[in-house]
Amino acid sequence: MANTKGMVFNIQRYSIDDGPGIRTTVFLKGCPLRCLWCSNPESQFADPEVAHRDSLCTRCGRCVEACPKQAITLEEKGVRIDRELCDCCGRCTQVCDPGALKVFGSEMSAQEVFEEVRRDVSYYERSGGGVTVSGGEPLQQAEFVAELFVRCREAGIHTCLDTSGYAGQEALEKVLPHTDLVLFDLKHPDPEIHRRLTGVGTAVILRNLRHLAERGTAIVIRIPVIPGCNDRPEEVRALARVVADLGLNRVDLMPYHRFGVGKYQMLDRTYELPDVIPPGREQLESIRQTFEAYGIDCRIRL
């Protein structure tokens, strides 16, 4: 078996929100979407990135001295990184004792990741869990995901793909034969609004979702509930019709949260939804009831 390499930015153990049972979720870098509410901005670009947390910085200046590209300067609040000069060599992180600097993203082989996730096999067996690959968009690294899933399946580990659905048919077909469950994101039914919210249209996404439904793939639709973006009653009804028309019957609502806002600052990026307030329980319950009126099992994931 080949030992394909992938760009991983996190391996999260004891995850209970990324499929059935207790799971280990492998997060991959690289995503063709730019969702305004994205809580993992470190996942968007395919290459490693250096992040800085100024609250931990002691302004010792060791990172400035260590940087061979002179990409780091020291300011009153902490370090500043010239992203054009930085090549993510990681030398700054090696001398940063407080941990104010870190690299998001490291290249790992499928075998290396498998060795990590198999350590939790006893949890999978007891809880009916397994391994989920998320992102970013994991289908950007389809060969790596397929190989990891083959290794998992050979070890009797349940496999789950968490995808936006925005990928070529070839990438999808590489992964599907080795996938037990697909978590499929649906964000908005209107192609132009979807493009404004995410940077891409809906044609590829809906084509792939239809293909999955027709082949009888086990699918859970995941809908991020973003106030002011996709939570109006007519938008919710339109999403419910998409799901029902494809004969699918399971939706998880993923309420908007602000957990990732600090990472935008760490990566010197601007968060696009600074004033959005997470939806309340009453609104989420109303949305859930709308989906149930279409015969869909709808659950709120808090």
Side-chain angles (χ1 to χ4, degrees):
M1 185 185 296
N3 199 12
T4 309
K5 292 187 176 181
M7 185 60 66
V8 179
F9 75 88
N10 189 22
I11 298 178
Q12 180 177 305
R13 290 187 162 82
Y14 210 87
S15 173
I16 57 173
D17 293 318
D18 296 322
I22 297 171
R23 311 189 70 81
T24 299
T25 302
V26 180
F27 291 90
L28 305 184
K29 278 181 68 67
C31 184
L33 279 66
R34 292 294 180 268
C35 302
L36 299 182
W37 56 86
C38 178
S39 61
N40 289 327
E42 73 275 30
S43 75
Q44 294 175 356
F45 299 129
D47 295 324
E49 300 168 88
V50 175
H52 59 90
R53 189 186 296 273
D54 288 340
S55 61
L56 298 179
C57 180
T58 61
R59 295 181 288 282
C60 67
R62 295 179 66 191
C63 57
V64 177
E65 298 171 1
C67 180
K69 298 291 185 178
Q70 297 182 319
I72 301 178
T73 54
L74 192 61
E75 299 182 358
E76 183 178 350
K77 292 184 178 180
V79 301
R80 286 296 173 265
I81 301 170
D82 186 326
R83 302 287 173 180
E84 296 296 321
L85 293 177
C86 176
D87 64 359
C88 293
C89 68
R91 295 184 188 177
C92 58
T93 66
Q94 295 168 11
V95 300
C96 184
D97 293 336
L101 290 163
K102 68 176 295 183
V103 175
F104 283 121
S106 61
E107 192 175 65
M108 299 181 69
S109 70
Q111 180 63 29
E112 287 175 322
V113 174
F114 174 68
E115 292 297 337
E116 284 288 311
V117 302
R118 75 185 303 185
R119 292 164 52 191
D120 298 328
V121 69
S122 61
Y123 292 104
Y124 312 150
E125 291 173 347
R126 290 198 296 267
S127 69
V131 171
T132 298
V133 177
S134 186
E137 173 47 64
L139 291 175
Q140 295 275 98
Q141 301 186 52
E143 188 173 344
F144 172 82
V145 177
E147 185 176 328
L148 174 61
F149 278 3
V150 167
R151 295 173 188 270
C152 288
R153 278 247 182 115
E154 288 177 347
I157 298 173
H158 181 276
T159 59
C160 177
L161 175 72
D162 181 8
T163 178
S164 71
Y166 193 84
Q169 194 81 25
E170 182 180 355
L172 193 63
E173 291 302 333
K174 280 183 181 178
V175 177
L176 277 184
H178 318 293
T179 303
D180 294 310
L181 173 68
V182 175
L183 305 179
F184 197 106
D185 290 358
L186 275 185
K187 299 173 175 69
H188 201 284
D190 182 274
E192 291 309 313
I193 296 177
H194 192 282
R195 187 179 302 278
R196 177 171 58 83
L197 295 175
T198 72
V200 304
T202 59
V204 170
I205 293 168
L206 294 178
R207 179 200 70 199
N208 285 333
L209 180 57
R210 189 174 302 109
H211 174 67
L212 291 174
E214 289 173 351
R215 65 179 286 162
T217 305
I219 306 170
V220 174
I221 299 296
R222 305 223 293 186
I223 297 178
V225 180
I226 317 298
C229 294
N230 68 349
D231 64 334
R232 293 183 300 173
E234 60 269 28
E235 293 169 320
V236 174
R237 288 193 295 270
L239 283 167
R241 284 194 295 271
V242 170
V243 176
D245 288 348
L246 288 172
L248 303 175
N249 58 12
R250 171 69 188 277
V251 165
D252 283 357
L253 302 179
M254 316 297 290
Y256 168 81
H257 61 73
R258 298 176 55 84
F259 299 152
V261 173
K263 289 186 282 190
Y264 284 82
Q265 299 170 346
M266 293 169 63
L267 293 166
D268 302 313
R269 298 188 208 161
T270 300
Y271 185 63
E272 299 292 343
L273 299 178
D275 300 321
V276 172
I277 298 173
R281 183 73 195 207
E282 183 176 337
Q283 182 187 14
L284 292 170
E285 182 61 26
S286 175
I287 293 173
R288 187 187 67 79
Q289 291 175 4
T290 298
F291 278 96
E292 289 199 336
Y294 282 81
I296 298 165
D297 176 13
C298 184
R299 307 177 190 184
I300 301 169
R301 310 292 296 190
L302 295 176

